[in-house]
Amino acid sequence: MIYNNGEFISTDSDVDQLIYQTIIESDNAESRFIVTDARNKKYMVNILDMSNYFDDNTAIIKYSDLTPTYDSIKDITLIISLSAFFIFLITTLFAFLLIKRITEPLILLKNGAFNIAKGNYATLEVKSFDEIGELTLAFNKMNEDIKNSISNLKHEQKLREHIFSSISDGIVFYNRDLEAIYKNTEGERWLEEIVQDKVLVSKINDEIINCLYHKNDSSFTYEINESYLEISFKNVAYTDVNYGVTLTIRDITNEIKHEQLRHEFISSVSHELKTPMVMLRGYSEALLDGIVTDEKDVREMISIIKDESDRMNNLVNELISVSRLESGQSPFNILENDITLLIKDIAQKFRFAFKKNQIHFEYKSEINQCIIPFDYDKLNQVFTNLIDNAIRYTEPDDKISIVLKENDRHLIIEVSDTGKGIKASSLGRIFERFYKEDKARTRGKQGTGLGLSIVKSIINGHGGDITVDSVIGQGTTFTIILNKDGK
C-alpha cells in the first residue's frame, strides 16, 4: 500500500481497511505493529517513510501474514522441545548409568563395611581400574589387615584364656566395684566354696578394699572344708589409675600335709630310735662299769645289745629303702621272670620259720602264663615283708597261703593267713609309714612300721595295686594286682 498526500492507494481489501483504520486511530503512529483481522489472523505491518525522496508526503506500507511465521515458530518450538526431551532422556540415562557405575561400587563398599562390622571378611570384586577400583583394592587390603588383626587378637585371647585356665591356682579379677569380672576354671571352682563361708567372704572383701585404695598387696592362709588355701591380693594399676585387684587362690593342702607328715616322720623316727638307743646305752654302761659280772647275765645283755643294734640297723635300712623308692633313686630292674620260681624261693626262705612256729604253708596256682615282667629282687622283698607280717599275726596250726590267679590283662596274687586279723579301724592306715598294730596282738617283736609302706611303693612302682581285706579272728588277705605286659 502507498500513502500519498493524505490518501491511501491500495487494493482496498478488508485487511487494507483494518490497517488504514488502525493507523488513523492511532495517536502515536508506529513504524511497525501487528493487527488482527476478524478471522483472528495476525499481520505484521511495516511503514516506510519515503518523503525524503519525493516532493509529496509519501509512505509505503507493507504488511505480511504472520501465520507461516507462527507455524514455523511452533515447528521450531516443537523441534526444540522434542530435542530437549530426547536430550534429557539421553542425559538422564547417561547420568543414571554414570551414577550406577559410581554408586554401585560405593554401595558394595558400604555393605562390605557393614559385613566387616558383623565379622564377615569377604573380599570385594575389582571391576575397574579407575579411582573406584583403586578404592576397592585399598578396601580389600584394609579388610585383609583387619581380618588378620582380629584373628591374631582372637588367637591371643584364646591363648591367654587357655593359659589362665591351665593354671592350677585360682585367679579372680575384681574391678573397682568389687565385681568378679574374670575368673579361670580353678578360680570359679574355689569361689563356689568360698561364698558359703561368710567369715571368709567378709575377710576377702576387706582385703580387696585395702589393696585397691591403699595399694597394699597382702595374703593370708585359711582352712575351708579340710583344705588349706593361700589367698593373695595384688593391686592392678596403670599410669597411676587403679583398675582393680587380682585375687590368687592357691591350694596348699598338700604342702601343709607334707609338713605335718615331715613332723610326724621326725617324731616317729626319733621315737623308734630312742628306745633301742636308751637300752644300748644302759646295758653298755652296765657292762663297762662292771655292775654285771655273771657270765650268763653278761651274755644276755650282749644279746640284747645285738638285738637292739639289729633293730636300729633294720630301721635305718628300711628308711633308706623308703627314701630311695619315693625319690626314684632305686630304679626298677623289670625283666621277664618266672613268678612261680619266686614263690618257691620265698617258701624255701621261710621253711624254717614255718616249722619253728608250727604254721602250715600252702601254694596254689591257677595261671597258665608264669613268666611276666617284674623286678625279681623287689618283689622278693614284697613277699618277704608280707610273709613276715603274717607270721607275726598267726598262732600254731594257722595257715599261710599264696594263690596265683589271672584274667585277660592282670596277674592276681593273694597272700592270706588264718591269723588274728586286723581291726577295721586300722585297715585304712596299715600302709602308712610307722603305723603299727597293737603290740599285744603280735607274735614276738614288732617291726619298724615301714614294711607295708615299702610294699605299697614297690607295687605302685610296677604299675600295679595292692589291697587288704581282714576279719578279726579269721585272718587277713593281701591282694596284689600286676599287669601282664608290665605297663
Side-chain angles (χ1 to χ4, degrees):
M1 297 184 298
I2 299 174
Y3 171 80
N4 185 22
N5 289 328
E7 293 182 0
F8 290 96
I9 302 172
S10 69
T11 59
D12 201 18
S13 64
D14 293 338
V15 177
D16 295 343
Q17 292 297 326
L18 177 61
I19 293 172
Y20 295 157
Q21 189 66 28
T22 300
I23 292 173
I24 291 172
E25 292 178 355
S26 176
D27 295 334
N28 298 315
E30 297 179 358
S31 60
R32 183 176 298 172
F33 57 89
I34 296 174
V35 296
T36 304
D37 63 4
R39 292 175 298 178
N40 203 29
K41 291 183 66 175
K42 294 183 178 181
Y43 297 89
M44 172 65 73
V45 179
N46 190 15
I47 301 174
L48 298 176
D49 189 3
M50 305 295 292
S51 299
N52 294 332
Y53 301 100
F54 296 95
D55 293 337
D56 298 330
N57 188 11
T58 304
I60 296 175
I61 302 169
K62 299 189 294 179
Y63 64 91
S64 175
D65 188 357
L66 292 179
T67 298
T69 302
Y70 283 132
D71 292 339
S72 298
I73 291 174
K74 289 180 180 179
D75 293 340
I76 292 172
T77 302
L78 179 60
I79 292 172
I80 292 175
S81 298
L82 291 175
S83 300
F85 176 72
F86 285 111
I87 291 174
F88 173 76
L89 289 179
I90 293 172
T91 53
T92 300
L93 179 61
F94 177 77
F96 174 76
L97 295 176
L98 181 61
I99 291 172
K100 182 179 179 182
R101 180 181 178 84
I102 296 174
T103 57
E104 187 177 45
L106 294 177
I107 292 173
L108 292 176
L109 289 172
K110 181 197 73 172
N111 294 333
F114 282 118
N115 288 333
I116 290 177
K118 296 177 181 178
N120 182 14
Y121 305 99
T123 302
L124 300 181
E125 180 183 359
V126 180
K127 298 182 179 180
S128 64
F129 295 96
D130 54 6
E131 289 81 0
I132 299 296
E134 293 178 356
L135 179 61
T136 305
L137 288 173
F139 180 86
N140 287 337
K141 179 65 170 60
M142 179 192 70
N143 181 23
E144 189 67 23
D145 292 342
I146 292 176
K147 180 181 178 181
N148 293 335
S149 299
I150 296 296
S151 177
N152 292 334
L153 288 175
K154 288 183 177 179
H155 175 72
E156 293 179 1
Q157 181 182 6
K158 290 181 179 179
L159 179 61
R160 285 195 300 270
E161 291 178 355
H162 181 72
I163 291 173
F164 279 114
S165 297
S166 63
I167 294 176
S168 59
D169 296 340
I171 298 177
V172 184
F173 178 73
Y174 287 88
N175 61 10
R176 295 176 60 88
D177 297 326
L178 303 184
E179 296 175 345
I181 62 175
Y182 175 80
K183 48 187 174 290
N184 65 354
T185 305
E186 282 296 308
E188 186 173 4
R189 182 177 69 85
W190 281 116
L191 277 184
E192 292 178 356
E193 294 191 28
I194 289 175
V195 294
Q196 300 175 11
D197 191 324
K198 302 302 180 182
V199 176
L200 180 56
V201 171
S202 176
K203 185 173 179 62
I204 288 177
N205 289 337
D206 293 340
E207 291 294 333
I208 292 176
I209 293 173
N210 178 63
C211 183
L212 183 62
Y213 294 102
H214 301 285
K215 298 182 179 180
N216 295 328
D217 298 342
S218 60
S219 64
F220 63 84
T221 302
Y222 193 88
E223 182 180 1
I224 178 173
N225 297 334
E226 299 182 355
S227 297
Y228 292 89
L229 302 181
E230 183 182 58
I231 304 176
S232 304
F233 303 84
K234 178 69 176 178
N235 180 267
V236 179
Y238 180 71
T239 62
D240 297 331
V241 178
N242 287 337
Y243 290 97
V245 175
T246 299
L247 176 68
T248 304
I249 306 170
R250 183 166 172 252
D251 186 1
I252 58 173
T253 304
N254 289 335
E255 297 177 14
I256 297 294
K257 289 184 176 180
H258 286 163
E259 185 66 19
Q260 292 173 350
L261 288 175
R262 187 177 68 85
H263 287 297
E264 292 176 2
F265 177 78
I266 294 174
S267 176
S268 298
V269 171
S270 300
H271 176 74
E272 291 293 329
L273 292 176
K274 182 178 180 180
T275 301
M277 289 180 65
V278 169
M279 295 182 69
L280 286 173
R281 181 177 179 181
Y283 286 119
S284 299
E285 289 178 351
L287 292 174
L288 290 174
D289 293 341
I291 296 175
V292 180
T293 58
D294 185 74
E295 182 178 355
K296 182 179 179 181
D297 293 337
V298 170
R299 292 181 62 85
E300 184 179 353
M301 286 187 177
I302 293 175
S303 177
I304 293 173
I305 290 174
K306 181 180 181 304
D307 288 342
E308 295 301 327
S309 298
D310 291 341
R311 181 182 174 188
M312 291 178 63
N313 184 60
N314 290 335
L315 175 61
V316 171
N317 288 335
E318 290 188 348
L319 285 173
I320 292 174
S321 297
V322 170
S323 176
R324 287 179 175 176
L325 287 171
E326 292 183 351
S327 63
Q329 296 178 358
S330 180
F332 287 78
N333 183 27
I334 297 179
L335 300 173
E336 297 288 338
N337 291 298
D338 190 340
I339 189 69
T340 59
L341 181 61
L342 173 62
I343 302 301
K344 291 179 180 178
D345 287 346
I346 294 296
Q348 182 64 26
K349 179 190 295 186
F350 284 94
R351 182 175 59 84
F352 179 75
F354 293 148
K355 183 177 180 180
K356 177 182 177 181
N357 294 285
Q358 301 178 21
I359 295 174
H360 303 286
F361 177 74
E362 183 181 37
Y363 165 62
K364 294 181 180 180
S365 178
E366 302 175 3
I367 65 174
N368 297 317
Q369 183 180 353
C370 300
I371 299 177
I372 64 170
F374 64 89
D375 188 317
Y376 193 94
D377 292 334
K378 285 188 169 54
L379 277 193
N380 190 310
Q381 184 178 1
V382 167
F383 288 112
T384 298
N385 287 346
L386 292 178
I387 298 297
D388 185 65
N389 281 346
I391 293 174
R392 294 175 188 273
Y393 288 91
T394 53
E395 298 291 342
D397 291 329
D398 278 335
K399 183 175 70 174
I400 296 176
S401 62
I402 298 179
V403 179
L404 300 184
K405 301 178 181 179
E406 67 177 343
N407 56 29
D408 293 339
R409 295 182 53 194
H410 303 105
L411 173 67
I412 303 168
I413 308 169
E414 295 179 352
V415 181
S416 305
D417 65 70
T418 58
K420 300 177 181 180
I422 303 173
K423 294 183 296 185
S425 59
S426 300
L427 288 178
R429 301 189 59 192
I430 61 173
F431 292 111
E432 294 180 7
R433 289 177 296 184
F434 296 109
Y435 182 77
K436 300 177 184 179
E437 265 282 40
D438 185 5
K439 183 176 180 180
R441 302 180 63 247
T442 63
R443 179 205 301 268
K445 298 179 181 179
Q446 281 189 313
T448 61
L450 292 172
L452 291 180
S453 176
I454 294 174
V455 167
K456 187 171 181 62
S457 297
I458 291 175
I459 297 301
N460 290 342
H462 280 78
D465 190 22
I466 180 170
T467 59
V468 59
D469 292 306
S470 184
V471 178
I472 291 294
Q474 297 183 19
T476 302
T477 299
F478 286 89
T479 303
I480 300 171
I481 299 176
L482 297 175
N483 298 321
K484 288 184 178 180
D485 56 6
K487 298 180 182 178

